[in-house]
Amino acid sequence: MGEMGKKEENFYELLGVNRYASMEDIRKAYLNLAKELHPDKIPLESGQYLRKLAEERLKLINEAYTTLKDEKLRVEYDAKLFEYMGNSSENIEILTLDELLSPEILNEGVLLLQEEERKIYLEFICKVDQVETHFKSYLDSVEEHLKRTLSPDTALMRCTRLLRLLGLEIILFVIFYCFLFWGVKLFNIFIGSYMTNTSVAFVSVLISATMSLSYLILESTIDSTSIKNIQDEYIVFSEQVIEYCHKYKIFSSEVKLSKLISVTYKSSYVNAIKSVKRDFDKKLEELTSKRKKIINELSVLEPYHITPQKVINMPFPERFLLVKALEKKYKQEVEKQRWNEALTIAGGIGLLAIIIGTGGGFKF
């Protein structure tokens, strides 16, 4: 892609899409134009001139699509387009932060992040399937085996899990009992009741046992709060990886009674699955560490540093992470007032709206 010239076509205008159009919109626009300008669609009676014109137009459309469908090439093109528009003496609309951080672009950024996660997750599942295929004759003999069991136990591991579960049950029981015993006693004093210590202890034991057992028996569900917590902690956004983190990365999910009644396996199979799982966990950690590093670097930016010139060079995923970083920073109570004042001085009202969610409105 050469330098932007005064007579060079604007690729977005050529395809008939906005500058912040999603990859899917760009693809649809290209396919429609490619069909319309295909040589077979041009009547023979149109003449050589019109057919040649359509051919040249189709070449331009192919060049535009080749550039805009590639994230890196698109970022480079956007930067050159912005530079050309900024230096042009014509009255051309300049890209704003609202456009550069529009809901469409942020959603596209999330989709690209999700695609990155799905790629390594698919590799992981393929390796699990390969292990199960290798042990097929053995697994066929295991009753109640569930395909793609990602946390299998040997008999020895099951004993270890049982001891860990009992230890947690005792700790939870003691904590609940202490709070309940003194809570009930204070409540009795407050209302003037005269329950004996034995009665208070009995009630406390009964409720504590029920609460601690419920914690270990009931499976935690994926609700909007747990999804948000996983997204904030692991910086992941695809449904499969969020579910994986919920089932295997959160401590409470590994200390449930359901784990004690599942099937046990021989050590060679368990070790093979554990090895594949460790490899995936390592790749997932590298991915989240890279994203956290980007967020940390972006979170130190002051409002007046976040200009269209800076944002336009960012790939769509990084723009989404920028908003996440600013959102995180803005939520820190100590900095709220200073940020409001700095944003107002910098004229960043649109950016403020994006950060606090009144103008962004992006979803994923």
Side-chain angles (χ1 to χ4, degrees):
M1 182 180 61
E3 294 293 327
M4 289 289 301
K6 199 155 191 174
K7 294 182 180 179
E8 186 173 342
E9 293 276 5
N10 182 313
F11 286 168
Y12 293 103
E13 293 176 359
L14 193 62
L15 293 177
V17 297
N18 294 322
R19 288 188 295 266
Y20 43 82
S22 67
M23 296 293 185
E24 182 63 21
D25 289 339
I26 290 173
R27 188 182 72 85
K28 288 179 181 178
Y30 165 73
L31 291 176
N32 290 334
L33 289 171
K35 288 178 183 177
E36 292 175 7
L37 295 172
H38 193 277
D40 294 341
K41 293 286 186 178
I42 308 298
L44 291 175
E45 58 270 18
S46 297
Q48 286 295 108
Y49 177 75
L50 285 179
R51 293 178 66 82
K52 185 68 175 175
L53 191 64
E55 182 181 334
E56 292 297 325
R57 196 69 176 169
L58 186 57
K59 285 182 181 178
L60 281 173
I61 288 169
N62 284 328
E63 183 185 358
Y65 180 62
T66 300
T67 300
L68 298 184
K69 75 175 182 178
D70 185 283
E71 184 185 346
K72 184 179 178 181
L73 292 178
R74 184 175 179 179
V75 169
E76 292 175 357
Y77 178 78
D78 284 349
K80 290 178 181 177
L81 178 64
F82 184 85
E83 182 181 357
Y84 166 70
M85 292 169 64
N87 294 332
S88 175
S89 58
E90 300 174 11
N91 185 22
I92 304 177
E93 178 190 2
I94 301 298
L95 290 168
T96 65
L97 283 173
D98 282 340
E99 289 179 306
L100 295 171
L101 298 174
S102 67
E104 292 85 356
I105 283 182
L106 296 180
N107 286 331
E108 186 69 23
V110 175
L111 290 175
L112 291 170
L113 292 172
Q114 291 174 337
E115 187 62 32
E116 188 178 19
E117 296 162 19
R118 278 193 288 264
K119 182 180 178 181
I120 64 170
Y121 184 78
L122 181 60
E123 291 175 357
F124 166 54
I125 292 301
C126 286
K127 289 181 180 179
V128 170
D129 289 344
Q130 289 172 5
V131 171
E132 294 199 341
T133 300
H134 180 74
F135 287 90
K136 185 177 186 306
S137 58
Y138 163 69
L139 294 176
D140 287 342
S141 66
V142 177
E143 294 185 8
E144 299 181 7
H145 166 68
L146 297 178
K147 186 174 174 62
R148 294 176 180 171
T149 298
L150 303 181
S151 186
D153 283 347
T154 62
L156 180 60
M157 291 170 65
R158 183 58 49 83
C159 292
T160 303
R161 191 186 293 276
L162 175 60
L163 292 174
R164 185 169 55 179
L165 200 68
L166 289 174
L168 181 62
E169 169 67 14
I170 293 170
I171 292 171
L172 289 174
F173 175 81
V174 171
I175 292 173
F176 289 144
Y177 177 81
C178 290
F179 275 104
L180 285 168
F181 181 83
W182 291 106
V184 172
K185 280 188 72 69
L186 291 173
F187 180 73
N188 283 331
I189 294 172
F190 180 75
I191 64 173
S193 176
Y194 296 99
M195 287 181 66
T196 63
N197 287 340
T198 303
S199 299
V200 172
F202 176 77
V203 172
S204 299
V205 166
L206 187 63
I207 298 176
S208 298
T210 302
M211 292 175 67
S212 56
L213 282 173
S214 297
Y215 177 83
L216 298 178
I217 293 173
L218 298 178
E219 297 289 340
S220 56
T221 57
I222 303 183
D223 53 22
S224 57
T225 301
S226 59
I227 289 175
K228 184 69 169 62
N229 291 337
I230 290 172
Q231 288 174 343
D232 290 341
E233 182 174 355
Y234 297 101
I235 322 296
V236 293
F237 307 98
S238 64
E239 183 179 343
Q240 300 97 322
V241 177
I242 288 175
E243 184 177 356
Y244 174 85
C245 291
H246 179 76
K247 285 185 176 180
Y248 305 107
K249 304 287 281 183
I250 299 175
F251 172 76
S252 61
S253 63
E254 285 293 295
V255 285
K256 297 293 181 182
L257 287 177
S258 59
K259 301 287 185 181
L260 296 178
I261 59 176
S262 58
V263 184
T264 57
Y265 300 86
K266 65 179 185 179
S267 59
S268 56
Y269 169 73
V270 172
N271 291 336
I273 292 292
K274 294 287 186 185
S275 176
V276 171
K277 189 165 174 283
R278 278 195 302 269
D279 183 53
F280 172 70
D281 286 339
K282 182 180 178 181
K283 290 182 179 179
L284 184 61
E285 185 178 350
E286 289 173 353
L287 181 68
T288 57
S289 296
K290 180 182 73 174
R291 293 177 180 178
K292 286 178 180 179
K293 182 180 179 182
I294 292 173
I295 288 178
N296 290 336
E297 290 173 350
L298 294 173
S299 64
V300 301
L301 293 175
E302 295 294 341
Y304 45 81
H305 290 150
I306 305 167
T307 62
Q309 292 92 329
K310 184 174 186 65
V311 174
I312 199 170
N313 291 315
M314 293 181 177
F316 289 174
E318 192 170 329
R319 296 188 198 183
F320 174 77
L321 295 178
L322 168 65
V323 172
K324 294 292 288 183
L326 297 178
E327 184 183 57
K328 177 182 177 182
K329 185 170 184 176
Y330 184 81
K331 285 180 178 177
Q332 295 174 357
E333 293 293 334
V334 178
E335 298 224 13
K336 270 193 177 181
Q337 186 59 38
R338 188 175 66 85
W339 262 69
N340 285 334
E341 293 172 355
L343 283 165
T344 303
I345 293 170
I349 301 303
L351 179 61
L352 176 61
I354 291 169
I355 295 169
I356 63 176
T358 58
F362 58 90
K363 54 190 176 184
F364 47 90

